[in-house]
């Protein structure tokens, strides 16, 4: 599987295999990027559900994936939407060290007003650092550039994290509740375009801070993506859609 993923050289490749648990309804799911196996990937899970529901047309409305992140349920919705059910990963606030500020300033040092409130959060389950920046416009966050310098990689290794989530409440009244970008430190993929795992942290955090159990979430990466995110107890439901652009077969 790693050889195939490396050959395809895409940000993520999902491998799905049916199990004998419930024929047509239960599958094992593994994720790989071009260099390594990945512990958690939401958008590849959405793509896997899209293929099973719409390309293979299994005739079922619910699929269960047994993945490295645990059991993930995918449900077919109206209008081509698919809802994924993940475990909620509430982050804990951490007191920043010099390494935390290295990662912060790698992105926003020259564009961050001193008056803005910034706080740091971490989830061991996801292993990402979340930096909450209050009152930042979407266009500001979208315009930031991330340089995966040796200094940034060293700070990430010191903190033991896989990536950094920058998130802000939408203050422009554009119809979104949260605006985010997600960067991979030390990975060959610099920025993740749409990230389900990040929103399993954002959903419980925004519920605690702002009292919201449902979010219209925008990820303002260069490609961009929109999700509906619902917090239900210990679960986070993420609803989105996918589009088929290529179909093919591996011959050998």
């Amino acid at each position: 599987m790693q050889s195939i993923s490396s050959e395809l050289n895409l940000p993520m490749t999902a491998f799905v295999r049916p199990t004998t648990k419930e024929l047509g309804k239960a599958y094992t799911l593994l994720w790989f990027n071009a260099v390594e196996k990945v512990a958690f990937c939401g958008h590849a899970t959405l793509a896997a559900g899209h293929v099973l529901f719409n390309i293979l047309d299994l005739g079922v409305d619910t699929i269960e994936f047994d993945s490295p992140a645990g059991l993930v349920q995918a449900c077919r919705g109206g209008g081509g939407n698919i809802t994924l059910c993940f475990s909620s990963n509430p982050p804990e606030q951490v007191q920043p060290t010099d390494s935390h500020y290295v990662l912060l300033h790698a992105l926003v040092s020259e564009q961050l007003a001193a008056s803005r409130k910034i706080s740091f959060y971490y989830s061991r389950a996801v292993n990402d650092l979340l930096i909450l920046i209050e009152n930042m416009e979407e266009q500001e966050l979208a315009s930031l550039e991330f340089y995966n310098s040796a200094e940034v990689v060293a700070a990430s290794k010191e903190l033991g994290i896989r990536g950094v989530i920058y998130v802000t409440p939408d203050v422009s009244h554009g119809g979104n509740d949260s605006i985010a970008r997600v960067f991979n430190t030390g990975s060959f993929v610099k920025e993740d375009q749409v990230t389900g795992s990040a929103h399993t942290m954002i959903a419980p955090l925004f519920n605690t801070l702002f009292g919201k159990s449902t979010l219209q979430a925008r990820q303002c990466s260069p490609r961009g993506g929109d999700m509906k995110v619902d917090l239900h107890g210990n679960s986070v439901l993420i609803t989105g859609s996918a589009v088929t652009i290529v179909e093919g077969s591996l011959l050998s």
Side-chain angles (χ1 to χ4, degrees):
M1 287 183 278
Q2 184 62 72
S3 297
I4 294 172
S5 302
S6 300
E7 183 69 23
L8 293 174
N9 198 33
L10 295 171
M12 201 66 63
T13 302
F15 293 87
V16 177
R17 177 182 297 173
T19 70
T20 58
K21 182 179 177 181
E22 288 186 79
L23 191 62
K25 293 186 177 182
Y27 297 82
T28 58
L29 173 63
L30 297 174
W31 307 291
F32 291 82
N33 62 31
V35 296
E36 62 187 355
K37 186 178 180 180
V38 177
F40 192 179
C41 182
H43 63 270
T45 307
L46 178 68
H50 170 78
V51 169
L52 294 173
F53 285 135
N54 299 299
I55 306 301
L56 299 182
D57 195 16
L58 299 176
V60 298
D61 292 325
T62 302
I63 293 171
E64 188 175 83
F65 294 114
D66 187 0
S67 76
L71 292 177
V72 179
Q73 191 177 71
C75 299
R76 187 204 307 257
N81 286 329
I82 296 172
T83 297
L84 304 177
C85 180
F86 295 107
S87 296
S88 175
N89 294 302
E92 295 182 357
Q93 188 167 4
V94 296
Q95 295 301 314
T97 65
D98 289 343
S99 294
H100 287 90
Y101 281 112
V102 166
L103 294 173
L104 171 68
H105 291 305
L107 241 177
V108 299
S109 58
E110 297 180 359
Q111 302 177 61
L112 189 64
S115 60
R116 282 203 178 102
K117 183 179 178 182
I118 299 167
S119 47
F120 297 82
Y121 297 84
Y122 174 74
S123 167
R124 184 178 300 276
V126 180
N127 197 27
D128 282 348
L129 177 70
L130 185 152
I131 300 177
L132 177 68
I133 307 172
E134 295 192 16
N135 300 321
M136 181 174 244
E137 298 281 352
E138 179 180 350
Q139 58 266 32
E140 291 182 84
L141 189 57
S143 67
L144 300 178
E145 294 187 24
F146 179 76
Y147 300 98
N148 211 350
S149 65
E151 187 179 24
V152 172
V153 173
S156 300
K157 288 183 177 179
E158 182 176 332
L159 294 170
I161 61 172
R162 69 165 190 171
V164 182
I165 303 162
Y166 291 83
V167 65
T168 183
D170 186 9
V171 296
S172 62
H173 306 291
N176 295 302
D177 298 295
S178 66
I179 310 291
R181 291 181 75 183
V182 179
F183 297 91
N184 302 300
T185 56
S187 172
F188 90 107
V189 181
K190 183 171 69 171
E191 180 170 6
D192 206 10
Q193 302 298 321
V194 185
T195 317
S197 59
H199 287 83
T200 67
M201 296 172 60
I202 293 170
L205 178 64
F206 273 50
N207 179 254
T208 298
L209 296 180
F210 309 115
K212 294 186 175 183
S213 58
T214 297
L215 302 176
Q216 186 60 45
R218 171 75 178 162
Q219 195 157 329
C220 59
S221 60
R223 191 180 73 196
D226 298 283
M227 295 157 280
K228 180 175 178 286
V229 182
D230 295 290
L231 180 67
H232 285 272
N234 294 323
S235 298
V236 173
L237 307 181
I238 301 177
T239 301
S241 60
V243 176
T244 303
I245 58 172
V246 175
E247 290 187 45
S249 301
L250 291 175
L251 302 179
S252 62

